[in-house]
Amino acid sequence: MRFALIADEVRVAIDSDADIVSARQKGRGLASQCGFPSTDLAVVATAISELARNIVRYAVRGEVILRLIDDNGRRGVEVVATDDGPGIPDITLAMQDGYSTSGSLGLGLPGVRRLMDEFEIASDFGKGTTVTARKWKR
Amino acid sequence: MNAELRELADEYARALENYLVGRGEAALQDAYELGRKTLAKGLGMLDVATIQQRVLLKCLMRAPTTKEGTRILRMAHKLFVESLLPFEMSHRRVQEVNTALRESEQRYRNLVDTARDVIYTLSIDGKIKSLNPVFETITGWLRDEWIGKEFSPLVHPDDLPRATTLLQVVLAGRVPPTFELRVRSKSGAYIPGEFTATPQTQEGRVVGVLGVARDITDRKRAEEALRGLNEALEEEIKRIAHALHDEAGQLLASVHIGLAEVARDLPPHTSRRLDDVRGLLTKIEEQLRHLSHELRPTILDDLGLHPAIEFLADGVSRRTGLQITVEGVPGKRMPAPTETALYRIVQEALTNVTKHAQASRVTIRFARDGRLLRCSIGDNGAGFDVLAVQARRGARGLGLIGIQERLNAVGGTLNITSIPGSGAELIICVPVEAGGADADSPRR
Ligand SMILES: Nc1ncnc2c1ncn2[C@@H]1O[C@H](COP(=O)(O)OP(=O)(O)OP(=O)(O)O)[C@@H](O)[C@H]1O
Ligand SMILES: Nc1ncnc2c1ncn2[C@@H]1O[C@H](COP(=O)(O)OP(=O)(O)OP(=O)(O)O)[C@@H](O)[C@H]1O
Ligand SMILES: [Mg+2]
Ligand SMILES: [Mg+2]
């Protein structure tokens, strides 16, 4: 891991819409522990929403891992959404605004990239997807 | 408030109620989803603000105490932020696109500002809309002296009709091939320019012209120099041909007369041996005459390309044993530089066949196709690797290069095809005046 872990990580299994709510709640809790302003709490919750709803929609089940991290005194929240679903055949395409294989807005992935400070996506077609996003305290 | 908004407002009110009674994150998630739904319906942030204002007012009016009112306000704010976040995502997208656009515009600007060719735009009425800085360097004019003005005074009067026609072509949405126009500089001198012009379109409509103009003064000079050089060369060849024909010919004739006199004084059996020598001498004379005619065939000027080529083919054939056929006719007489160029090209091509091809047959074929004259010279010899020969640097023959340069000067093209083992073919195309296949005739 690149960053020091401040507290134990929180893992939330994602299986249904209700799990999305509890992942949001845990994420918001962690971020407020490290003193995020309230609008940034909403930003973190949004990222969790988008990544978790992608899991429910495209991979059926997976997991959201939430971490409080420290980078030389700078604190932040790391959100990892991971699943063993079908994976994404063309990541560049999936990251494009308005691209959706389900006729939705195609807002989620590019939206999370822009709201958060750091964004990484890895996907093995056929083996699942892992998205990592971080928000640092301002 | 319309039905659609009212429905969303009801949902928002439910979310707020839920939030106030402690349903926490689930209510916030509902508000977020509501914002997403509003966005998906194509509604805006102001609609969300209207909804929130309505719902909040109603809710506050029912608040029993100021304390409760304050709590409601604080919580409603959090809910409101949630419902706006989807709009924030799409707003950041716009910001990102704008930044990218600005950067790409800046890059484009830098390119235009530092370009060494003039980049211009015209409006549909032929007024100059923009010019890049190099316009000032090349022409001496200030850009401000021309922007907003008609382009026509910048063009040489003789070129103006063509320029106007081309403008119409572009405004009709087509892209003409590159063209040349002379541009008037501030000093009054005309600068030769090579132009491109393409239609600028907006929503499928032509709204102007975008083009690039290159100063081709240097190229023109080089072409002019080459033409001069070729002309000088022709003069020199003419001189040598005359020397061969007249002076060497005269000398040989004197030798003939001398020999005839000697033969008269000799006994018959010795004089018969002299006859053999005189036979050889006649052959030499003949060859010398033929060579001098080939060097600078007066036939070319007097009778035209076709007889000159036939004369050349006949001479080469007799000297080398190659079987040469000339098919088709070049048609109407062409300007002297074009005819001379073609003659020299065929001459070099035949020399190459003799030197390199080990061929037994050569076919020279002429065909006229509208404004193009096609001339091909094909042999059945060894052939060669065209690409390898053309890529050769340093020590390489001058024949093919000379052919290419002669063609450049008359606007022609050269294509070489060769299959090693089964011969080579040079295909030459030169632009000529359209017209029928008039018989060859003396040049007027
Ligand atoms: N976890 C995942 N597993 C497999 N495919 C995924 C996953 N997440 C995203 N994708 C693919 O990437 C595409 C883009 O995702 P994104 O979240 O940007 O848009 P969307 O989910 O289609 O639309 P929206 O998020 O606006 O509802 C999806 O349509 C889907 O094909
Ligand atoms: N008809 C041909 N058949 C086979 N090879 C040819 C033929 N014409 C040209 N070549 C090849 O192409 C090369 C280049 O020809 P080019 O006329 O440019 O030079 P050159 O004949 O070698 O020298 P120069 O013409 O200067 O006396 C030749 O050396 C020869 O290898
Ligand atoms: Mg999505
Ligand atoms: Mg040669």
Side-chain angles (χ1 to χ4, degrees), chain B residues 132-329:
Chain B
N132 60 338
V134 79
F135 172 79
E136 304 190 343
T137 324
I138 292 176
T139 64
W141 297 107
L142 292 177
R143 286 183 284 168
D144 287 346
E145 291 176 283
W146 285 101
I147 288 171
K149 308 250 168 65
E150 295 262 350
F151 79 88
S152 36
L154 269 177
V155 175
H156 192 289
D158 293 349
D159 294 348
L160 198 53
R162 208 153 39 86
T164 315
T165 315
L166 283 161
L167 177 64
Q168 293 315 315
V169 167
V170 179
L171 291 180
R174 277 169 295 154
V175 181
T178 55
F179 52 95
E180 290 181 14
L181 296 175
R182 285 162 292 177
V183 172
R184 187 162 63 93
S185 65
K186 181 140 192 170
S187 70
Y190 283 94
I191 303 165
E194 184 184 68
F195 284 73
T196 66
T198 49
Q200 276 189 310
T201 53
Q202 230 167 55
E203 287 151 19
R205 239 163 12 91
V206 179
V207 295
V209 180
L210 167 68
V212 178
R214 173 168 297 179
D215 178 359
I216 54 167
T217 307
D218 290 346
R219 191 208 296 170
K220 284 278 169 204
R221 251 185 226 139
E223 278 175 16
E224 200 54 51
L226 194 64
R227 237 191 316 275
L229 222 56
N230 270 334
E231 274 161 23
L233 197 63
E234 288 299 324
E235 279 310 307
E236 191 63 10
I237 288 172
K238 221 181 252 179
R239 206 182 55 76
I240 295 171
H242 281 140
L244 266 181
H245 184 267
D246 301 346
E247 289 158 32
Q250 290 299 325
L251 278 173
L252 275 174
S254 317
V255 173
H256 252 301
I257 295 164
L259 276 178
E261 277 168 9
V262 172
R264 253 204 323 271
D265 298 344
L266 285 176
H269 70 282
T270 330
S271 98
R272 223 167 294 127
R273 283 194 9 230
L274 258 191
D275 282 346
D276 294 345
V277 176
R278 282 160 70 189
L280 281 175
L281 211 55
T282 312
K283 266 198 187 141
I284 292 178
E285 235 182 328
E286 185 111 320
Q287 285 223 352
L288 212 56
R289 260 197 42 235
H290 214 285
L291 271 176
S292 68
H293 282 287
E294 278 175 33
L295 265 179
R296 178 63 223 184
T298 43
I299 297 186
L300 185 56
D301 295 326
D302 298 341
L303 299 179
L305 187 59
H306 194 241
I309 296 281
E310 285 198 311
F311 179 80
L312 173 66
D314 181 50
V316 173
S317 187
R318 270 196 278 159
R319 274 200 306 281
T320 63
L322 266 175
Q323 188 192 323
I324 308 178
T325 33
V326 182
E327 294 178 359
V329 285

Side-chain angles (χ1 to χ4, degrees), chain A residues 50 53-54 58 108, chain B residues 36:
Chain A
E50 290 302 330
R53 85 208 287 271
N54 277 357
Y58 306 110
Chain B
R36 234 180 180 284

Side-chain angles (χ1 to χ4, degrees), chain B residues 95-121:
Chain B
Q95 277 179 320
E96 203 176 278
V97 169
N98 277 343
T99 309
L101 209 62
R102 248 198 317 279
E103 279 168 8
S104 115
E105 230 170 65
Q106 190 55 46
R107 268 199 303 277
Y108 164 77
R109 190 94 335 268
N110 288 344
L111 213 64
V112 169
D113 284 353
T114 57
R116 286 152 47 118
D117 291 339
V118 173
I119 299 170
Y120 66 91
T121 54

Side-chain angles (χ1 to χ4, degrees), chain B residues 348 351-352 355-356 398-400:
Chain B
E348 168 62 21
T351 307
N352 274 352
K355 278 204 304 191
H356 310 295
L398 288 177
L400 294 178

